[in-house]
Amino acid sequence: MKTELVTLKLAHLAALGETDGTRNVIRLSGPAFCVLAEDQPVAAGGIARLAAHRGVAWVLLTDRAHSSALLLRRIHRYVKTQFPLIRTACGIYEIDAEADENNPQACAWLEYFGFKRKPLAIYSWSE
């Protein structure tokens, strides 16, 4: 299966079913990427900038991505290589993220990348 990491565009968010204009502007306020599988968006993510050195990490996964171990591995690899590069290039030293407390895989994934759990399933990463 051919996958590709591309710069996120508003059209990708629309194809992923994301129609909240305000939320999408925030998502596009910082570095953001889309994973294409066979030229179709299956995942998107990035770091929305909140302040000079602060941001919020976010990820969207389609049902197709959730149900494919191969896609999940490739998405994980993209995040693993891009996350440190983005943090460094953009000078972002504090990053928050949210995860559903009822989704232990999402919580474990954030912890894998060095996020620390705070109350209300908010995770925080800082240098």
Side-chain angles (χ1 to χ4, degrees), residues 51-73:
H53 300 291
R54 191 156 185 257
V56 174
W58 62 273
V59 174
L60 300 171
L61 298 173
T62 62
D63 290 340
R64 179 178 175 197
H66 275 290
S67 64
S68 169
L70 175 62
L71 283 174
L72 287 174
R73 280 193 305 274

mmCIF file with all atom_site columns, all heavy atoms in Angstrom, residues 51-73:
data_model
loop_
_atom_site.group_PDB
_atom_site.id
_atom_site.type_symbol
_atom_site.label_atom_id
_atom_site.label_alt_id
_atom_site.label_comp_id
_atom_site.label_asym_id
_atom_site.label_entity_id
_atom_site.label_seq_id
_atom_site.pdbx_PDB_ins_code
_atom_site.Cartn_x
_atom_site.Cartn_y
_atom_site.Cartn_z
_atom_site.occupancy
_atom_site.B_iso_or_equiv
_atom_site.pdbx_formal_charge
_atom_site.auth_seq_id
_atom_site.auth_comp_id
_atom_site.auth_asym_id
_atom_site.auth_atom_id
_atom_site.pdbx_PDB_model_num
ATOM 1   N N   . ALA A 1 51 ? 0.987   30.039 21.613 1.00 0.00 ? 51 ALA A N   1
ATOM 2   C CA  . ALA A 1 51 ? 1.816   31.188 21.965 1.00 0.00 ? 51 ALA A CA  1
ATOM 3   C C   . ALA A 1 51 ? 3.194   30.937 21.365 1.00 0.00 ? 51 ALA A C   1
ATOM 4   O O   . ALA A 1 51 ? 3.405   29.926 20.699 1.00 0.00 ? 51 ALA A O   1
ATOM 5   C CB  . ALA A 1 51 ? 1.891   31.344 23.482 1.00 0.00 ? 51 ALA A CB  1
ATOM 6   N N   . ALA A 1 52 ? 4.132   31.819 21.629 1.00 0.00 ? 52 ALA A N   1
ATOM 7   C CA  . ALA A 1 52 ? 5.452   31.723 21.006 1.00 0.00 ? 52 ALA A CA  1
ATOM 8   C C   . ALA A 1 52 ? 6.086   30.340 21.154 1.00 0.00 ? 52 ALA A C   1
ATOM 9   O O   . ALA A 1 52 ? 6.586   29.778 20.188 1.00 0.00 ? 52 ALA A O   1
ATOM 10  C CB  . ALA A 1 52 ? 6.373   32.788 21.582 1.00 0.00 ? 52 ALA A CB  1
ATOM 11  N N   . HIS A 1 53 ? 6.074   29.788 22.339 1.00 0.00 ? 53 HIS A N   1
ATOM 12  C CA  . HIS A 1 53 ? 6.734   28.501 22.580 1.00 0.00 ? 53 HIS A CA  1
ATOM 13  C C   . HIS A 1 53 ? 5.777   27.428 23.079 1.00 0.00 ? 53 HIS A C   1
ATOM 14  O O   . HIS A 1 53 ? 6.205   26.453 23.683 1.00 0.00 ? 53 HIS A O   1
ATOM 15  C CB  . HIS A 1 53 ? 7.871   28.673 23.597 1.00 0.00 ? 53 HIS A CB  1
ATOM 16  C CG  . HIS A 1 53 ? 8.915   29.626 23.135 1.00 0.00 ? 53 HIS A CG  1
ATOM 17  N ND1 . HIS A 1 53 ? 9.764   29.339 22.087 1.00 0.00 ? 53 HIS A ND1 1
ATOM 18  C CD2 . HIS A 1 53 ? 9.234   30.872 23.536 1.00 0.00 ? 53 HIS A CD2 1
ATOM 19  C CE1 . HIS A 1 53 ? 10.567  30.358 21.878 1.00 0.00 ? 53 HIS A CE1 1
ATOM 20  N NE2 . HIS A 1 53 ? 10.260  31.314 22.747 1.00 0.00 ? 53 HIS A NE2 1
ATOM 21  N N   . ARG A 1 54 ? 4.493   27.595 22.826 1.00 0.00 ? 54 ARG A N   1
ATOM 22  C CA  . ARG A 1 54 ? 3.489   26.692 23.377 1.00 0.00 ? 54 ARG A CA  1
ATOM 23  C C   . ARG A 1 54 ? 2.512   26.267 22.287 1.00 0.00 ? 54 ARG A C   1
ATOM 24  O O   . ARG A 1 54 ? 2.133   27.056 21.431 1.00 0.00 ? 54 ARG A O   1
ATOM 25  C CB  . ARG A 1 54 ? 2.724   27.398 24.492 1.00 0.00 ? 54 ARG A CB  1
ATOM 26  C CG  . ARG A 1 54 ? 1.858   26.482 25.280 1.00 0.00 ? 54 ARG A CG  1
ATOM 27  C CD  . ARG A 1 54 ? 1.624   27.066 26.667 1.00 0.00 ? 54 ARG A CD  1
ATOM 28  N NE  . ARG A 1 54 ? 0.886   26.082 27.420 1.00 0.00 ? 54 ARG A NE  1
ATOM 29  C CZ  . ARG A 1 54 ? -0.416  26.171 27.667 1.00 0.00 ? 54 ARG A CZ  1
ATOM 30  N NH1 . ARG A 1 54 ? -1.100  27.218 27.263 1.00 0.00 ? 54 ARG A NH1 1
ATOM 31  N NH2 . ARG A 1 54 ? -1.026  25.235 28.338 1.00 0.00 ? 54 ARG A NH2 1
ATOM 32  N N   . GLY A 1 55 ? 2.107   24.987 22.335 1.00 0.00 ? 55 GLY A N   1
ATOM 33  C CA  . GLY A 1 55 ? 1.170   24.495 21.344 1.00 0.00 ? 55 GLY A CA  1
ATOM 34  C C   . GLY A 1 55 ? 0.321   23.345 21.863 1.00 0.00 ? 55 GLY A C   1
ATOM 35  O O   . GLY A 1 55 ? 0.497   22.885 22.990 1.00 0.00 ? 55 GLY A O   1
ATOM 36  N N   . VAL A 1 56 ? -0.607  22.904 21.020 1.00 0.00 ? 56 VAL A N   1
ATOM 37  C CA  . VAL A 1 56 ? -1.474  21.768 21.324 1.00 0.00 ? 56 VAL A CA  1
ATOM 38  C C   . VAL A 1 56 ? -1.331  20.757 20.194 1.00 0.00 ? 56 VAL A C   1
ATOM 39  O O   . VAL A 1 56 ? -1.546  21.090 19.027 1.00 0.00 ? 56 VAL A O   1
ATOM 40  C CB  . VAL A 1 56 ? -2.957  22.198 21.435 1.00 0.00 ? 56 VAL A CB  1
ATOM 41  C CG1 . VAL A 1 56 ? -3.857  20.989 21.601 1.00 0.00 ? 56 VAL A CG1 1
ATOM 42  C CG2 . VAL A 1 56 ? -3.151  23.160 22.583 1.00 0.00 ? 56 VAL A CG2 1
ATOM 43  N N   . ALA A 1 57 ? -0.944  19.541 20.552 1.00 0.00 ? 57 ALA A N   1
ATOM 44  C CA  . ALA A 1 57 ? -0.840  18.471 19.561 1.00 0.00 ? 57 ALA A CA  1
ATOM 45  C C   . ALA A 1 57 ? -2.224  17.896 19.308 1.00 0.00 ? 57 ALA A C   1
ATOM 46  O O   . ALA A 1 57 ? -3.043  17.792 20.215 1.00 0.00 ? 57 ALA A O   1
ATOM 47  C CB  . ALA A 1 57 ? 0.100   17.377 20.074 1.00 0.00 ? 57 ALA A CB  1
ATOM 48  N N   . TRP A 1 58 ? -2.488  17.541 18.063 1.00 0.00 ? 58 TRP A N   1
ATOM 49  C CA  . TRP A 1 58 ? -3.783  16.966 17.703 1.00 0.00 ? 58 TRP A CA  1
ATOM 50  C C   . TRP A 1 58 ? -3.577  15.925 16.600 1.00 0.00 ? 58 TRP A C   1
ATOM 51  O O   . TRP A 1 58 ? -2.624  15.999 15.827 1.00 0.00 ? 58 TRP A O   1
ATOM 52  C CB  . TRP A 1 58 ? -4.758  18.054 17.243 1.00 0.00 ? 58 TRP A CB  1
ATOM 53  C CG  . TRP A 1 58 ? -4.292  18.777 16.015 1.00 0.00 ? 58 TRP A CG  1
ATOM 54  C CD1 . TRP A 1 58 ? -3.472  19.862 15.970 1.00 0.00 ? 58 TRP A CD1 1
ATOM 55  C CD2 . TRP A 1 58 ? -4.592  18.430 14.661 1.00 0.00 ? 58 TRP A CD2 1
ATOM 56  N NE1 . TRP A 1 58 ? -3.242  20.231 14.672 1.00 0.00 ? 58 TRP A NE1 1
ATOM 57  C CE2 . TRP A 1 58 ? -3.918  19.365 13.846 1.00 0.00 ? 58 TRP A CE2 1
ATOM 58  C CE3 . TRP A 1 58 ? -5.350  17.442 14.061 1.00 0.00 ? 58 TRP A CE3 1
ATOM 59  C CZ2 . TRP A 1 58 ? -3.980  19.328 12.462 1.00 0.00 ? 58 TRP A CZ2 1
ATOM 60  C CZ3 . TRP A 1 58 ? -5.419  17.411 12.681 1.00 0.00 ? 58 TRP A CZ3 1
ATOM 61  C CH2 . TRP A 1 58 ? -4.743  18.340 11.898 1.00 0.00 ? 58 TRP A CH2 1
ATOM 62  N N   . VAL A 1 59 ? -4.448  14.933 16.587 1.00 0.00 ? 59 VAL A N   1
ATOM 63  C CA  . VAL A 1 59 ? -4.398  13.865 15.580 1.00 0.00 ? 59 VAL A CA  1
ATOM 64  C C   . VAL A 1 59 ? -5.819  13.461 15.229 1.00 0.00 ? 59 VAL A C   1
ATOM 65  O O   . VAL A 1 59 ? -6.681  13.370 16.107 1.00 0.00 ? 59 VAL A O   1
ATOM 66  C CB  . VAL A 1 59 ? -3.639  12.627 16.116 1.00 0.00 ? 59 VAL A CB  1
ATOM 67  C CG1 . VAL A 1 59 ? -3.702  11.469 15.130 1.00 0.00 ? 59 VAL A CG1 1
ATOM 68  C CG2 . VAL A 1 59 ? -2.192  12.962 16.422 1.00 0.00 ? 59 VAL A CG2 1
ATOM 69  N N   . LEU A 1 60 ? -6.056  13.232 13.948 1.00 0.00 ? 60 LEU A N   1
ATOM 70  C CA  . LEU A 1 60 ? -7.323  12.685 13.457 1.00 0.00 ? 60 LEU A CA  1
ATOM 71  C C   . LEU A 1 60 ? -7.020  11.390 12.728 1.00 0.00 ? 60 LEU A C   1
ATOM 72  O O   . LEU A 1 60 ? -6.120  11.354 11.890 1.00 0.00 ? 60 LEU A O   1
ATOM 73  C CB  . LEU A 1 60 ? -7.987  13.648 12.467 1.00 0.00 ? 60 LEU A CB  1
ATOM 74  C CG  . LEU A 1 60 ? -8.360  15.036 12.949 1.00 0.00 ? 60 LEU A CG  1
ATOM 75  C CD1 . LEU A 1 60 ? -8.786  15.897 11.766 1.00 0.00 ? 60 LEU A CD1 1
ATOM 76  C CD2 . LEU A 1 60 ? -9.485  14.936 13.956 1.00 0.00 ? 60 LEU A CD2 1
ATOM 77  N N   . LEU A 1 61 ? -7.744  10.339 13.056 1.00 0.00 ? 61 LEU A N   1
ATOM 78  C CA  . LEU A 1 61 ? -7.591  9.060  12.365 1.00 0.00 ? 61 LEU A CA  1
ATOM 79  C C   . LEU A 1 61 ? -8.939  8.615  11.825 1.00 0.00 ? 61 LEU A C   1
ATOM 80  O O   . LEU A 1 61 ? -9.942  8.678  12.533 1.00 0.00 ? 61 LEU A O   1
ATOM 81  C CB  . LEU A 1 61 ? -7.064  7.977  13.314 1.00 0.00 ? 61 LEU A CB  1
ATOM 82  C CG  . LEU A 1 61 ? -5.687  8.204  13.927 1.00 0.00 ? 61 LEU A CG  1
ATOM 83  C CD1 . LEU A 1 61 ? -5.396  7.128  14.963 1.00 0.00 ? 61 LEU A CD1 1
ATOM 84  C CD2 . LEU A 1 61 ? -4.618  8.216  12.864 1.00 0.00 ? 61 LEU A CD2 1
ATOM 85  N N   . THR A 1 62 ? -8.969  8.145  10.599 1.00 0.00 ? 62 THR A N   1
ATOM 86  C CA  . THR A 1 62 ? -10.197 7.623  10.025 1.00 0.00 ? 62 THR A CA  1
ATOM 87  C C   . THR A 1 62 ? -10.425 6.197  10.513 1.00 0.00 ? 62 THR A C   1
ATOM 88  O O   . THR A 1 62 ? -9.522  5.560  11.069 1.00 0.00 ? 62 THR A O   1
ATOM 89  C CB  . THR A 1 62 ? -10.120 7.602  8.488  1.00 0.00 ? 62 THR A CB  1
ATOM 90  O OG1 . THR A 1 62 ? -9.050  6.723  8.102  1.00 0.00 ? 62 THR A OG1 1
ATOM 91  C CG2 . THR A 1 62 ? -9.896  8.989  7.911  1.00 0.00 ? 62 THR A CG2 1
ATOM 92  N N   . ASP A 1 63 ? -11.630 5.682  10.290 1.00 0.00 ? 63 ASP A N   1
ATOM 93  C CA  . ASP A 1 63 ? -11.913 4.283  10.618 1.00 0.00 ? 63 ASP A CA  1
ATOM 94  C C   . ASP A 1 63 ? -10.974 3.361  9.849  1.00 0.00 ? 63 ASP A C   1
ATOM 95  O O   . ASP A 1 63 ? -10.542 2.336  10.364 1.00 0.00 ? 63 ASP A O   1
ATOM 96  C CB  . ASP A 1 63 ? -13.371 3.935  10.301 1.00 0.00 ? 63 ASP A CB  1
ATOM 97  C CG  . ASP A 1 63 ? -14.343 4.609  11.252 1.00 0.00 ? 63 ASP A CG  1
ATOM 98  O OD1 . ASP A 1 63 ? -13.919 5.017  12.361 1.00 0.00 ? 63 ASP A OD1 1
ATOM 99  O OD2 . ASP A 1 63 ? -15.528 4.732  10.892 1.00 0.00 ? 63 ASP A OD2 1
ATOM 100 N N   . ARG A 1 64 ? -10.670 3.741  8.607  1.00 0.00 ? 64 ARG A N   1
ATOM 101 C CA  . ARG A 1 64 ? -9.754  2.930  7.798  1.00 0.00 ? 64 ARG A CA  1
ATOM 102 C C   . ARG A 1 64 ? -8.397  2.822  8.478  1.00 0.00 ? 64 ARG A C   1
ATOM 103 O O   . ARG A 1 64 ? -7.790  1.756  8.527  1.00 0.00 ? 64 ARG A O   1
ATOM 104 C CB  . ARG A 1 64 ? -9.620  3.539  6.406  1.00 0.00 ? 64 ARG A CB  1
ATOM 105 C CG  . ARG A 1 64 ? -8.684  2.784  5.495  1.00 0.00 ? 64 ARG A CG  1
ATOM 106 C CD  . ARG A 1 64 ? -8.619  3.403  4.119  1.00 0.00 ? 64 ARG A CD  1
ATOM 107 N NE  . ARG A 1 64 ? -7.628  2.739  3.308  1.00 0.00 ? 64 ARG A NE  1
ATOM 108 C CZ  . ARG A 1 64 ? -7.119  3.222  2.207  1.00 0.00 ? 64 ARG A CZ  1
ATOM 109 N NH1 . ARG A 1 64 ? -7.550  4.397  1.748  1.00 0.00 ? 64 ARG A NH1 1
ATOM 110 N NH2 . ARG A 1 64 ? -6.220  2.563  1.531  1.00 0.00 ? 64 ARG A NH2 1
ATOM 111 N N   . ALA A 1 65 ? -7.895  3.931  9.006  1.00 0.00 ? 65 ALA A N   1
ATOM 112 C CA  . ALA A 1 65 ? -6.607  3.917  9.698  1.00 0.00 ? 65 ALA A CA  1
ATOM 113 C C   . ALA A 1 65 ? -6.683  3.073  10.965 1.00 0.00 ? 65 ALA A C   1
ATOM 114 O O   . ALA A 1 65 ? -5.792  2.269  11.233 1.00 0.00 ? 65 ALA A O   1
ATOM 115 C CB  . ALA A 1 65 ? -6.164  5.338  10.030 1.00 0.00 ? 65 ALA A CB  1
ATOM 116 N N   . HIS A 1 66 ? -7.753  3.253  11.736 1.00 0.00 ? 66 HIS A N   1
ATOM 117 C CA  . HIS A 1 66 ? -7.929  2.487  12.981 1.00 0.00 ? 66 HIS A CA  1
ATOM 118 C C   . HIS A 1 66 ? -7.969  0.982  12.734 1.00 0.00 ? 66 HIS A C   1
ATOM 119 O O   . HIS A 1 66 ? -7.514  0.204  13.568 1.00 0.00 ? 66 HIS A O   1
ATOM 120 C CB  . HIS A 1 66 ? -9.219  2.901  13.701 1.00 0.00 ? 66 HIS A CB  1
ATOM 121 C CG  . HIS A 1 66 ? -9.069  4.088  14.580 1.00 0.00 ? 66 HIS A CG  1
ATOM 122 N ND1 . HIS A 1 66 ? -8.361  4.079  15.751 1.00 0.00 ? 66 HIS A ND1 1
ATOM 123 C CD2 . HIS A 1 66 ? -9.540  5.349  14.442 1.00 0.00 ? 66 HIS A CD2 1
ATOM 124 C CE1 . HIS A 1 66 ? -8.406  5.258  16.312 1.00 0.00 ? 66 HIS A CE1 1
ATOM 125 N NE2 . HIS A 1 66 ? -9.114  6.066  15.534 1.00 0.00 ? 66 HIS A NE2 1
ATOM 126 N N   . SER A 1 67 ? -8.518  0.578  11.602 1.00 0.00 ? 67 SER A N   1
ATOM 127 C CA  . SER A 1 67 ? -8.706  -0.855 11.350 1.00 0.00 ? 67 SER A CA  1
ATOM 128 C C   . SER A 1 67 ? -7.546  -1.502 10.601 1.00 0.00 ? 67 SER A C   1
ATOM 129 O O   . SER A 1 67 ? -7.590  -2.685 10.316 1.00 0.00 ? 67 SER A O   1
ATOM 130 C CB  . SER A 1 67 ? -10.007 -1.082 10.575 1.00 0.00 ? 67 SER A CB  1
ATOM 131 O OG  . SER A 1 67 ? -9.928  -0.483 9.297  1.00 0.00 ? 67 SER A OG  1
ATOM 132 N N   . SER A 1 68 ? -6.505  -0.752 10.302 1.00 0.00 ? 68 SER A N   1
ATOM 133 C CA  . SER A 1 68 ? -5.373  -1.296 9.556  1.00 0.00 ? 68 SER A CA  1
ATOM 134 C C   . SER A 1 68 ? -4.092  -1.208 10.376 1.00 0.00 ? 68 SER A C   1
ATOM 135 O O   . SER A 1 68 ? -3.572  -0.123 10.619 1.00 0.00 ? 68 SER A O   1
ATOM 136 C CB  . SER A 1 68 ? -5.188  -0.521 8.242  1.00 0.00 ? 68 SER A CB  1
ATOM 137 O OG  . SER A 1 68 ? -3.959  -0.857 7.637  1.00 0.00 ? 68 SER A OG  1
ATOM 138 N N   . ALA A 1 69 ? -3.559  -2.357 10.783 1.00 0.00 ? 69 ALA A N   1
ATOM 139 C CA  . ALA A 1 69 ? -2.305  -2.375 11.532 1.00 0.00 ? 69 ALA A CA  1
ATOM 140 C C   . ALA A 1 69 ? -1.173  -1.758 10.712 1.00 0.00 ? 69 ALA A C   1
ATOM 141 O O   . ALA A 1 69 ? -0.317  -1.059 11.254 1.00 0.00 ? 69 ALA A O   1
ATOM 142 C CB  . ALA A 1 69 ? -1.957  -3.800 11.943 1.00 0.00 ? 69 ALA A CB  1
ATOM 143 N N   . LEU A 1 70 ? -1.182  -1.993 9.407  1.00 0.00 ? 70 LEU A N   1
ATOM 144 C CA  . LEU A 1 70 ? -0.150  -1.429 8.544  1.00 0.00 ? 70 LEU A CA  1
ATOM 145 C C   . LEU A 1 70 ? -0.210  0.100  8.541  1.00 0.00 ? 70 LEU A C   1
ATOM 146 O O   . LEU A 1 70 ? 0.812   0.774  8.710  1.00 0.00 ? 70 LEU A O   1
ATOM 147 C CB  . LEU A 1 70 ? -0.305  -1.953 7.113  1.00 0.00 ? 70 LEU A CB  1
ATOM 148 C CG  . LEU A 1 70 ? 0.649   -1.346 6.075  1.00 0.00 ? 70 LEU A CG  1
ATOM 149 C CD1 . LEU A 1 70 ? 2.099   -1.660 6.423  1.00 0.00 ? 70 LEU A CD1 1
ATOM 150 C CD2 . LEU A 1 70 ? 0.295   -1.855 4.688  1.00 0.00 ? 70 LEU A CD2 1
ATOM 151 N N   . LEU A 1 71 ? -1.401  0.668  8.374  1.00 0.00 ? 71 LEU A N   1
ATOM 152 C CA  . LEU A 1 71 ? -1.536  2.126  8.398  1.00 0.00 ? 71 LEU A CA  1
ATOM 153 C C   . LEU A 1 71 ? -1.151  2.697  9.753  1.00 0.00 ? 71 LEU A C   1
ATOM 154 O O   . LEU A 1 71 ? -0.461  3.719  9.825  1.00 0.00 ? 71 LEU A O   1
ATOM 155 C CB  . LEU A 1 71 ? -2.954  2.547  8.036  1.00 0.00 ? 71 LEU A CB  1
ATOM 156 C CG  . LEU A 1 71 ? -3.309  2.498  6.550  1.00 0.00 ? 71 LEU A CG  1
ATOM 157 C CD1 . LEU A 1 71 ? -4.785  2.798  6.340  1.00 0.00 ? 71 LEU A CD1 1
ATOM 158 C CD2 . LEU A 1 71 ? -2.449  3.459  5.758  1.00 0.00 ? 71 LEU A CD2 1
ATOM 159 N N   . LEU A 1 72 ? -1.556  2.047  10.824 1.00 0.00 ? 72 LEU A N   1
ATOM 160 C CA  . LEU A 1 72 ? -1.204  2.543  12.163 1.00 0.00 ? 72 LEU A CA  1
ATOM 161 C C   . LEU A 1 72 ? 0.309   2.542  12.369 1.00 0.00 ? 72 LEU A C   1
ATOM 162 O O   . LEU A 1 72 ? 0.857   3.490  12.940 1.00 0.00 ? 72 LEU A O   1
ATOM 163 C CB  . LEU A 1 72 ? -1.898  1.716  13.240 1.00 0.00 ? 72 LEU A CB  1
ATOM 164 C CG  . LEU A 1 72 ? -3.400  1.950  13.380 1.00 0.00 ? 72 LEU A CG  1
ATOM 165 C CD1 . LEU A 1 72 ? -4.000  0.969  14.387 1.00 0.00 ? 72 LEU A CD1 1
ATOM 166 C CD2 . LEU A 1 72 ? -3.711  3.382  13.774 1.00 0.00 ? 72 LEU A CD2 1
ATOM 167 N N   . ARG A 1 73 ? 0.997   1.501  11.894 1.00 0.00 ? 73 ARG A N   1
ATOM 168 C CA  . ARG A 1 73 ? 2.459   1.466  12.006 1.00 0.00 ? 73 ARG A CA  1
ATOM 169 C C   . ARG A 1 73 ? 3.097   2.598  11.210 1.00 0.00 ? 73 ARG A C   1
ATOM 170 O O   . ARG A 1 73 ? 4.032   3.250  11.673 1.00 0.00 ? 73 ARG A O   1
ATOM 171 C CB  . ARG A 1 73 ? 3.010   0.117  11.535 1.00 0.00 ? 73 ARG A CB  1
ATOM 172 C CG  . ARG A 1 73 ? 2.891   -0.988 12.555 1.00 0.00 ? 73 ARG A CG  1
ATOM 173 C CD  . ARG A 1 73 ? 3.713   -2.210 12.195 1.00 0.00 ? 73 ARG A CD  1
ATOM 174 N NE  . ARG A 1 73 ? 3.423   -2.744 10.869 1.00 0.00 ? 73 ARG A NE  1
ATOM 175 C CZ  . ARG A 1 73 ? 2.452   -3.613 10.587 1.00 0.00 ? 73 ARG A CZ  1
ATOM 176 N NH1 . ARG A 1 73 ? 1.673   -4.046 11.547 1.00 0.00 ? 73 ARG A NH1 1
ATOM 177 N NH2 . ARG A 1 73 ? 2.284   -4.060 9.356  1.00 0.00 ? 73 ARG A NH2 1
#
